[in-house]
Amino acid sequence: MNNRIKKIENNVQDKNSAAWKKLCDYIDRVAEDGSEEFSPANELGYELFSQIYTLPETISKLKKVKKVSLYGSKLKRIPPEIGQMESLENFVPYTSYSLHWFPYEITECKNLKDSTVSTRALYGNYKNRMSFPDLSQNPVRYSGETVNCSVCRKKMTYDETNQLWISLWVGTDVLPLLANICSEHCKNALPKPPENYIQKAHKGSSTLPQPPDENESFELQIKEYEREQNTINNP
């Protein structure tokens, strides 16, 4: 099992840079025009886009956008406001190898049916079971002093939130999601993860047991086959 663990970085973005200001202007224009596609690399050019490590919270204004294209980005995180992109159908962060996780709020995009994600870069993915960082030691901080509960939307301070990882289907992929939870009631309201993933919300840790990865599963199948053959040949 692959126990590589990556520290979660906070304050990743220089918000005084020309790249950030141009991205914010682009979001305002897409929102005003009612465009159906958001493709910041095409607008900024890859030199500037490579300086973007998170998206602005103002993506919440992109109510008409159906496709988000983040191909080849250097993004390290996406803010919870993506959940307010109510028309989103197609999410393409493919080859964004620094995106190891996503906000739970992306599950609020009820029209999101198609996704293209570099799954080997994801925490907990079945191909290599990359470890989940321990949130009790390395909590995530978005901008601002407060955060909303991912379930009931209650506003709370970071000291009040219980941050948890959970793996769920989003589009055509199982994604590792970060949930900010305000109470045991909201924790219990989280969906059950799909089979072959950790079956509960959790805090993470390099020592957290995970199901076998792709190679380990194949080895277990071979061993089971060999046992069956041995039983047939030696009744």
Side-chain angles (χ1 to χ4, degrees), residues 12-13 15 19-20 23-24 26-27 38-41 44 49 51-60 62 65 67-71 73-83 85 88 91-93 96 99 102-103 106 142-143:
V12 297
Q13 185 64 52
K15 296 186 177 180
W20 180 258
L23 176 59
C24 291
Y26 172 54
I27 289 174
F38 177 63
S39 182
L44 275 67
F49 188 50
Q51 301 172 33
I52 300 299
Y53 303 112
T54 185
L55 295 179
E57 292 83 356
T58 52
I59 58 173
S60 61
L62 304 181
V65 168
K67 181 178 181 180
V68 169
S69 180
L70 303 171
Y71 187 92
S73 80
K74 301 297 184 182
L75 287 169
K76 298 180 179 181
R77 62 173 59 191
I78 291 175
E81 284 77 9
I82 193 173
M85 296 179 64
L88 184 60
F91 181 57
V92 186
S96 296
L99 271 178
F102 300 86
I106 197 172
Y142 296 109
S143 64

Side-chain angles (χ1 to χ4, degrees), residues 17 19 36 41 58 83 100 111 124 139-140 156 159 169 175 197 206 224:
S17 67
E36 295 186 353
T58 52
H100 304 299
N111 293 313
V140 174
M156 54 188 167
D159 289 337
W169 281 106
L175 302 184
Y197 285 83
S206 61
E224 180 62 27

Side-chain angles (χ1 to χ4, degrees), residues 5-17:
I5 188 166
K6 293 185 179 294
K7 188 177 187 299
I8 294 177
E9 298 180 62
N10 291 310
N11 301 317
V12 297
Q13 185 64 52
D14 176 6
K15 296 186 177 180
N16 292 315
S17 67

Side-chain angles (χ1 to χ4, degrees), residues 10 24 30 47 66 88 93 99 103-104 111 114 128 147 158 166 192-193 209 222 232:
N10 291 310
C24 291
V30 170
E47 182 176 352
K66 294 183 178 181
L88 184 60
L99 271 178
Y104 180 86
N111 293 313
D114 191 20
N128 58 16
V147 66
Y158 280 103
I166 187 167
K192 183 177 180 179
I222 292 297
I232 293 172

Side-chain angles (χ1 to χ4, degrees), residues 119 122 124-129 196-197 211-215 217:
T119 52
L122 302 180
N125 184 259
Y126 75 95
K127 294 181 179 179
N128 58 16
R129 300 300 184 194
N196 203 29
Y197 285 83
D213 64 25
E214 191 173 48
N215 291 331
S217 294

